Amino acid sequence: MEDLQKLLLHDHGLSVSTLPEKGRCLFTTREYSPGISRFLNLHPSVVASKWVNRGLDNRSKCVPLKTDTIKRYYETVKSRCDWCFTSSNVKRCSSCQVVWYCGSKCQTSDWKVHRLECQLLAKLEKNRIKSLTPSIRLMVKLYLRRKLQNEKVIPTSVTDNYNLVKDLVSHISEVEEMQLVLYAQMASLVNIILQWSTLNIKEIAENFSKLACNAHTICDSELIPLGTGLYPVISIINHSCSPNSVLVFEGRIATVRAMQTIPKGSEVLISYIETAGSTMTRQKALKDQYFFICSCPRCIKLGEHDDIEESAILEGYRCKNDTCNGLLLRDLESKGFKCQQCGIVREKEEIVKIASEEKTISNKASVALSSCHNKEALDMYLMVEKLQMKLCHSYSINLMRTRETLLKILMELQDWKKALTYCRLTIPVYERVYPKFHPLRGLQYYTCGKLEWLLGYTDEAIKSLTQAVDVLRITHGTNTSFMKDLIAKLEEAQAEASYKLSSMDD
């Protein structure tokens, strides 16, 4: 830890401290500016690519650009390169037939670890191969990497050594019994794969608990999941529902950027969870997966009047008066829900009836969607939206999610005008539930701008793409290929608008 402290202080202007109520924390030793400054830029200890279905269950934000050939928005991606995560031109390793690479360069980069892994996987029975989840492969690779580092085959470093994994918190004593049984089964499979007499299954099970709390989902620039990685130094950074920093990935490299000016001596904070939701929803998510109760500036307001009202807007019901946009709170006298703006009471029975119908149709729509029956799913999700508009506040998270799904189905069906309509409907909710410099907010502007440009609405596209650049240059920086492409598209749209204007003058 002493060497890590020196490195963080000298190279990054950061310092690790331990607080009784929070454990290890990362503090700044100098001021950081938003976007321009990167706290950390770290390679993973281990990674495992995912089998990803680039469909509606992923928060994909990409649409065809105006200068692109219009193609299908969704594509099934069964495998990715285990080194760079590309899905293009990947081939199975000829020996183990499990791991995929896009070419000899990536295979060579991964060879020192995969050489051992390959030998083990090649011996594995087919029924065992089916049980190889990314987490299990991650654990196998973690132990192989430790072995190779102990044997000096691959180097250790201040930010890449097994002692950093040992220092991670497992919360094993707080894990439920069913989950402990699962960890034990997973540890047993790792033991079967490695076949080392010195292995401790209890230690492996505890490491799985560490992974559950500390591993990160590696995403591309549009937040599409690519794989799972363990970044022990990043794991030192604590959570806040009002974070001052954001974690993004540039290939395998994890990058932490400031989203606002962070003074010297401040704690670096990122968000572990989806922050669009009520305080109770966020607290439950954190308690269930990370075993702590957040005490950030948003969460300490739990139960206060403003927090109750915000929860009622995001997750509650709307007034039955169509001309009123008031929020509903429980009315003790009528046992219904009373509008806080116009005073109309909505009966509990009416709400339960609509909610039950909405849930039934929503479940059927989900089945249709997962079966790729997009037109059938579209019709049912439109029915869900109609019911939610009767039931939910206009800023409802559930209504926003339904409209996101409709947006994505419409893009799959290449109905760009209706897709733009739904994208625009989500923007006000995004602006309410996400802070100004949140990557999801920036990516939604990006989607809107590309659709507008595709449809020939150049002025609107410039506005949306400008908003996207303003946000994403903070969260993503400006040197990635994604951002360079975005900025180029904005400049192209501006040039097109300028040309149209000059043509009108002529």
Side-chain angles (χ1 to χ4, degrees), residues 458-459 495-506:
T458 308
D459 291 340
E496 183 178 302
S498 179
Y499 175 77
K500 285 181 179 180
L501 188 63
S502 62
S503 298
M504 289 173 62
D505 292 338
D506 292 341

mmCIF file of all heavy atoms in Angstrom, residues 458-459 495-506:
data_model
loop_
_atom_site.group_PDB
_atom_site.id
_atom_site.type_symbol
_atom_site.label_atom_id
_atom_site.label_comp_id
_atom_site.label_asym_id
_atom_site.label_seq_id
_atom_site.Cartn_x
_atom_site.Cartn_y
_atom_site.Cartn_z
ATOM 1 N N THR A 458 -31.628 19.628 -40.049
ATOM 2 C CA THR A 458 -30.231 19.991 -39.788
ATOM 3 C C THR A 458 -30.076 20.920 -38.594
ATOM 4 O O THR A 458 -29.188 20.719 -37.749
ATOM 5 C CB THR A 458 -29.612 20.643 -41.041
ATOM 6 O OG1 THR A 458 -29.826 19.791 -42.161
ATOM 7 C CG2 THR A 458 -28.121 20.867 -40.853
ATOM 8 N N ASP A 459 -30.909 21.967 -38.498
ATOM 9 C CA ASP A 459 -30.776 22.923 -37.394
ATOM 10 C C ASP A 459 -31.014 22.253 -36.048
ATOM 11 O O ASP A 459 -30.278 22.495 -35.076
ATOM 12 C CB ASP A 459 -31.765 24.084 -37.577
ATOM 13 C CG ASP A 459 -31.404 24.973 -38.765
ATOM 14 O OD1 ASP A 459 -30.238 24.929 -39.199
ATOM 15 O OD2 ASP A 459 -32.297 25.695 -39.262
ATOM 16 N N ALA A 495 -21.516 22.577 -41.363
ATOM 17 C CA ALA A 495 -21.107 22.953 -42.724
ATOM 18 C C ALA A 495 -22.295 22.841 -43.676
ATOM 19 O O ALA A 495 -22.480 23.696 -44.561
ATOM 20 C CB ALA A 495 -19.961 22.053 -43.189
ATOM 21 N N GLU A 496 -23.106 21.806 -43.473
ATOM 22 C CA GLU A 496 -24.288 21.634 -44.316
ATOM 23 C C GLU A 496 -25.276 22.778 -44.108
ATOM 24 O O GLU A 496 -25.838 23.316 -45.070
ATOM 25 C CB GLU A 496 -24.965 20.294 -44.002
ATOM 26 C CG GLU A 496 -26.172 19.989 -44.884
ATOM 27 C CD GLU A 496 -26.767 18.634 -44.564
ATOM 28 O OE1 GLU A 496 -26.035 17.628 -44.668
ATOM 29 O OE2 GLU A 496 -27.961 18.583 -44.211
ATOM 30 N N ALA A 497 -25.479 23.164 -42.845
ATOM 31 C CA ALA A 497 -26.388 24.270 -42.550
ATOM 32 C C ALA A 497 -25.867 25.572 -43.143
ATOM 33 O O ALA A 497 -26.643 26.393 -43.683
ATOM 34 C CB ALA A 497 -26.568 24.405 -41.038
ATOM 35 N N SER A 498 -24.560 25.800 -43.058
ATOM 36 C CA SER A 498 -23.942 26.997 -43.603
ATOM 37 C C SER A 498 -24.094 27.034 -45.120
ATOM 38 O O SER A 498 -24.388 28.094 -45.712
ATOM 39 C CB SER A 498 -22.455 27.042 -43.223
ATOM 40 O OG SER A 498 -21.835 28.181 -43.755
ATOM 41 N N TYR A 499 -23.935 25.869 -45.774
ATOM 42 C CA TYR A 499 -24.080 25.795 -47.221
ATOM 43 C C TYR A 499 -25.513 26.116 -47.650
ATOM 44 O O TYR A 499 -25.731 26.841 -48.607
ATOM 45 C CB TYR A 499 -23.680 24.392 -47.696
ATOM 46 C CG TYR A 499 -23.916 24.187 -49.179
ATOM 47 C CD1 TYR A 499 -23.044 24.721 -50.129
ATOM 48 C CD2 TYR A 499 -25.022 23.453 -49.621
ATOM 49 C CE1 TYR A 499 -23.262 24.536 -51.487
ATOM 50 C CE2 TYR A 499 -25.240 23.253 -50.966
ATOM 51 C CZ TYR A 499 -24.358 23.795 -51.894
ATOM 52 O OH TYR A 499 -24.603 23.609 -53.253
ATOM 53 N N LYS A 500 -26.490 25.546 -46.919
ATOM 54 C CA LYS A 500 -27.893 25.818 -47.213
ATOM 55 C C LYS A 500 -28.206 27.305 -47.089
ATOM 56 O O LYS A 500 -28.918 27.887 -47.897
ATOM 57 C CB LYS A 500 -28.785 25.000 -46.279
ATOM 58 C CG LYS A 500 -28.877 23.538 -46.608
ATOM 59 C CD LYS A 500 -29.807 22.820 -45.635
ATOM 60 C CE LYS A 500 -29.927 21.324 -45.968
ATOM 61 N NZ LYS A 500 -30.827 20.639 -45.003
ATOM 62 N N LEU A 501 -27.641 27.926 -46.017
ATOM 63 C CA LEU A 501 -27.879 29.351 -45.772
ATOM 64 C C LEU A 501 -27.284 30.207 -46.894
ATOM 65 O O LEU A 501 -27.920 31.138 -47.386
ATOM 66 C CB LEU A 501 -27.281 29.732 -44.420
ATOM 67 C CG LEU A 501 -27.610 31.141 -43.907
ATOM 68 C CD1 LEU A 501 -29.125 31.289 -43.685
ATOM 69 C CD2 LEU A 501 -26.862 31.412 -42.601
ATOM 70 N N SER A 502 -26.067 29.856 -47.331
ATOM 71 C CA SER A 502 -25.426 30.628 -48.391
ATOM 72 C C SER A 502 -26.152 30.449 -49.725
ATOM 73 O O SER A 502 -26.235 31.342 -50.536
ATOM 74 C CB SER A 502 -23.957 30.223 -48.531
ATOM 75 O OG SER A 502 -23.840 28.860 -48.901
ATOM 76 N N SER A 503 -26.700 29.240 -49.941
ATOM 77 C CA SER A 503 -27.461 28.976 -51.163
ATOM 78 C C SER A 503 -28.721 29.794 -51.203
ATOM 79 O O SER A 503 -29.119 30.307 -52.258
ATOM 80 C CB SER A 503 -27.824 27.479 -51.252
ATOM 81 O OG SER A 503 -26.654 26.678 -51.322
ATOM 82 N N MET A 504 -29.365 29.994 -50.029
ATOM 83 C CA MET A 504 -30.572 30.801 -49.965
ATOM 84 C C MET A 504 -30.254 32.262 -50.255
ATOM 85 O O MET A 504 -31.024 32.969 -50.919
ATOM 86 C CB MET A 504 -31.209 30.681 -48.581
ATOM 87 C CG MET A 504 -31.844 29.298 -48.327
ATOM 88 S SD MET A 504 -32.406 29.109 -46.630
ATOM 89 C CE MET A 504 -33.651 30.390 -46.531
ATOM 90 N N ASP A 505 -29.090 32.731 -49.761
ATOM 91 C CA ASP A 505 -28.678 34.118 -49.975
ATOM 92 C C ASP A 505 -28.423 34.388 -51.461
ATOM 93 O O ASP A 505 -28.718 35.467 -51.989
ATOM 94 C CB ASP A 505 -27.430 34.451 -49.186
ATOM 95 C CG ASP A 505 -27.713 34.444 -47.677
ATOM 96 O OD1 ASP A 505 -28.892 34.590 -47.311
ATOM 97 O OD2 ASP A 505 -26.756 34.312 -46.890
ATOM 98 N N ASP A 506 -27.852 33.351 -52.145
ATOM 99 C CA ASP A 506 -27.577 33.495 -53.577
ATOM 100 C C ASP A 506 -28.879 33.546 -54.382
ATOM 101 O O ASP A 506 -28.980 34.208 -55.409
ATOM 102 C CB ASP A 506 -26.713 32.323 -54.063
ATOM 103 C CG ASP A 506 -25.303 32.372 -53.464
ATOM 104 O OD1 ASP A 506 -24.923 33.461 -53.009
ATOM 105 O OD2 ASP A 506 -24.634 31.323 -53.465
#
